[in-house]
Amino acid sequence: MHHESLYKRIDQLASEFSFSQIEIFRWLHQHPELAYQEYETSRFIMKQLKKFPGLEIKPPIAKTGIKAILHGGKPGPTVAIRADIDALPVKEETGLAYASHVKTDYNGQETCVAHVCGHDASTAAAIGTAKVLSQLQSELPGTVVFLFQPAEEGAPTGVDGGAMRMVQEGALKNPEVRAIFGFHANSTCFPGQVMIREGPTHASQDSIFIRIWGEQAHGSQPWSGKDPIVAGASLINSLQTLISREVDLQKGAAVITVGYFWGGIKVNIIPEGAEMGLTVRSLDEGNREILITRIKELAELKAEMHGCQAEVIYGQHYPMNVNNLDLYDAMLPTVERVALAKNVLYYLASTKSEDFSYFSQEIPGLYMYYGAAPCDRPLSESKPNHHPEFMVDEKALNFATRLECNLIFDCMRRL
């Protein structure tokens, strides 16, 4: 089949699947699940994939993840696409007829759950891509690996994230994947638009927990104890000088945020201990190393100054994600053809993190956003990802599937 005819066939097949794809998206939206709890989601995805001829579905990977393989009718390289499947502990406030009303346990507390990051859309788009390409299997010049990844939004404390586990369990092996694509719904642009950039796209992320141990005392006699809250407050105030005075921000942005700080249970008791949790972001690996080292040194120093001791615990780490330059150059013409050049937007690297980086560390990766902002309102009224009122315009699903199919075909021909 000639390339132009093939592209038209992709558009046709994607359009024919649109109604079913919206139904899939709405089901996913109504049944969100948190990291490594995506059992029902996984079963639903498997049920859909089993309808498509030629797909080889592997045993579960990374606990609740899915790996499916489609061998093309022609020889060629193996290309992968990743879709994340987990949701967030957020109460949805969209008012949609298919809004989530799910509640579950998170860190020992009851919480609402919602797909306010758009993973339901990315999953529905990838299912659509599997459907279309399975119908074009004889024309595929290579093999496609579909990875439906759990736990992108962060795994429970002490547990590896979804992308890391998928890599460790062989997601990119048998067959050997040569390139991988990641797609994500974005509410800062409309359906039909694409956000892409070369090089670094997302900062590294480190979770750091600091426990400060002092000596309990009565609140009326602070001199008889050692106050970990005062030591912690002093530390918090000093942490920001690491950003403003000790890292070279010309190399890339860096952020330290103290997400929580607690200690004690009563107003007139100086507690024995206090704890804070930090997220540390960097768009330069050298800056990251400085921050990781200096945070520990500063914590211990500030604690000692107040007669206390500090324990620094390193939690989850996501590497910086970097779009492969050769893959970017090779695939940009495809993006501009499918979306039209005027709809291709170039964005600054983000201080957000993305565990797609574990894939792109192993093989050439290309991560991009597709527009999902509701078309019935001004862009200024579109709520950001993770907001309780975040919504995906369902027109984005068909476009995302078309884009994915075109990129996979063109990538196979160019590798």
Side-chain angles (χ1 to χ4, degrees):
M1 188 181 295
H2 189 270
H3 295 157
E4 291 301 322
S5 299
L6 183 62
Y7 299 147
K8 290 180 180 178
R9 183 69 173 142
I10 288 173
D11 290 349
Q12 176 190 348
L13 292 172
S15 294
E16 290 174 359
F17 190 62
S18 286
F19 181 79
S20 296
Q21 187 173 41
I22 289 172
E23 287 188 322
I24 289 169
F25 165 71
R26 292 185 178 186
W27 188 95
L28 291 165
H29 190 86
Q30 283 187 303
H31 299 81
E33 295 172 297
L34 298 179
Y36 293 132
Q37 298 179 22
E38 312 98 331
Y39 296 106
E40 192 175 5
T41 301
S42 185
R43 284 192 292 269
F44 178 79
I45 295 169
M46 294 267 281
K47 179 181 177 181
Q48 303 306 314
L49 296 179
K50 288 178 179 178
K51 298 176 183 178
F52 310 149
L55 267 180
E56 177 188 355
I57 303 174
K58 294 293 187 177
I61 185 170
K63 191 175 181 179
T64 50
I66 297 170
K67 178 180 179 179
I69 303 171
L70 181 64
H71 296 282
K74 301 176 182 180
T78 298
V79 177
I81 175 174
R82 174 273 218 158
D84 25 20
I85 66 175
D86 58 329
L88 286 160
V90 174
K91 182 180 180 181
E92 180 175 349
E93 297 176 359
T94 60
L96 292 168
Y98 54 92
S100 167
H101 299 288
V102 172
K103 292 184 179 181
T104 191
D105 177 83
Y106 180 69
N107 287 341
Q109 300 181 46
E110 185 180 65
T111 180
C112 296
V113 187
H115 273 296
V116 292
C117 197
H119 292 180
D120 48 354
S122 297
T123 297
I127 291 173
T129 298
K131 167 67 173 177
V132 171
L133 295 185
S134 69
Q135 294 173 278
L136 296 172
Q137 185 176 9
S138 63
E139 300 295 326
L140 271 177
T143 299
V144 188
V145 173
F146 297 92
L147 299 176
F148 294 89
Q149 180 209 311
E152 188 279 328
E153 294 292 354
T157 302
V159 180
D160 291 336
M164 177 188 280
R165 284 187 64 171
M166 289 196 109
V167 170
Q168 291 172 342
E169 295 178 24
L172 303 178
K173 306 292 184 182
N174 300 317
E176 294 284 331
V177 178
R178 294 270 304 279
I180 186 167
F181 295 102
F183 303 88
H184 202 290
N186 190 288
S187 64
T188 64
C189 55
F190 290 116
Q193 295 181 308
V194 179
M195 297 172 64
I196 191 171
R197 67 170 279 117
E198 60 184 339
T201 65
H202 294 78
S204 62
Q205 185 268 331
D206 290 272
S207 298
I208 299 179
F209 306 94
I210 301 173
R211 294 172 182 163
I212 300 176
W213 302 104
E215 184 178 341
Q216 188 165 310
H218 196 287
S220 66
Q221 297 178 321
W223 54 86
S224 65
K226 304 296 181 184
D227 195 335
I229 292 181
V230 172
S234 177
L235 173 60
I236 291 171
N237 286 332
S238 297
L239 284 172
Q240 299 309 316
T241 62
L242 298 181
I243 299 295
S244 65
R245 291 296 180 269
E246 296 198 36
V247 298
D248 185 351
L249 296 178
Q250 296 176 110
K251 295 179 180 178
V255 176
I256 297 176
T257 295
V258 178
Y260 72 84
F261 177 40
W262 58 262
I265 58 173
K266 203 169 186 296
V267 296
N268 63 344
I269 300 175
I270 292 173
E272 180 183 17
E275 179 176 313
M276 66 182 72
L278 287 63
T279 182
V280 182
R281 314 293 176 116
S282 179
L283 282 163
D284 177 77
E285 185 58 29
N287 283 344
R288 173 186 174 264
E289 292 175 3
I290 290 171
L291 291 172
I292 295 301
T293 300
R294 291 290 289 130
I295 287 171
K296 184 175 189 296
E297 292 175 349
L298 192 58
E300 292 173 345
L301 177 62
K302 286 292 184 179
E304 184 180 359
M305 288 174 59
H306 291 84
C308 301
Q309 292 182 320
E311 177 186 10
V312 179
I313 303 165
Y314 296 102
Q316 201 166 57
H317 166 64
Y318 286 177
M320 185 167 58
N321 186 66
V322 180
N323 275 348
N324 181 271
L325 298 181
D326 291 337
L327 188 59
Y328 172 88
D329 289 340
M331 304 317 302
L332 184 58
T334 300
V335 175
E336 292 179 334
R337 175 174 53 78
V338 176
L340 302 181
K342 67 178 182 179
N343 291 320
V344 179
L345 312 175
Y346 303 91
Y347 65 98
L348 296 174
S350 173
T351 48
K352 297 177 182 178
S353 62
E354 169 55 72
D355 75 348
F356 182 79
S357 57
Y358 282 103
F359 297 116
S360 61
Q361 279 194 325
E362 300 291 322
I363 58 174
L366 188 60
Y367 186 95
M368 65 191 78
Y369 295 99
Y370 58 91
C375 294
D376 62 352
R377 67 196 65 179
L379 197 59
S380 60
E381 296 181 13
S382 177
K383 301 302 182 183
N385 297 59
H386 290 215
H387 190 280
E389 296 176 35
F390 169 81
M391 282 193 286
V392 169
D393 193 304
E394 292 171 343
K395 296 184 184 70
L397 306 175
N398 174 267
F399 173 79
T401 287
R402 289 174 46 234
L403 179 62
E404 291 172 7
C405 290
N406 278 268
L407 283 167
I408 288 169
F409 262 108
D410 288 353
C411 184
M412 287 175 169
R413 292 192 297 106
R414 293 169 184 168
L415 280 181

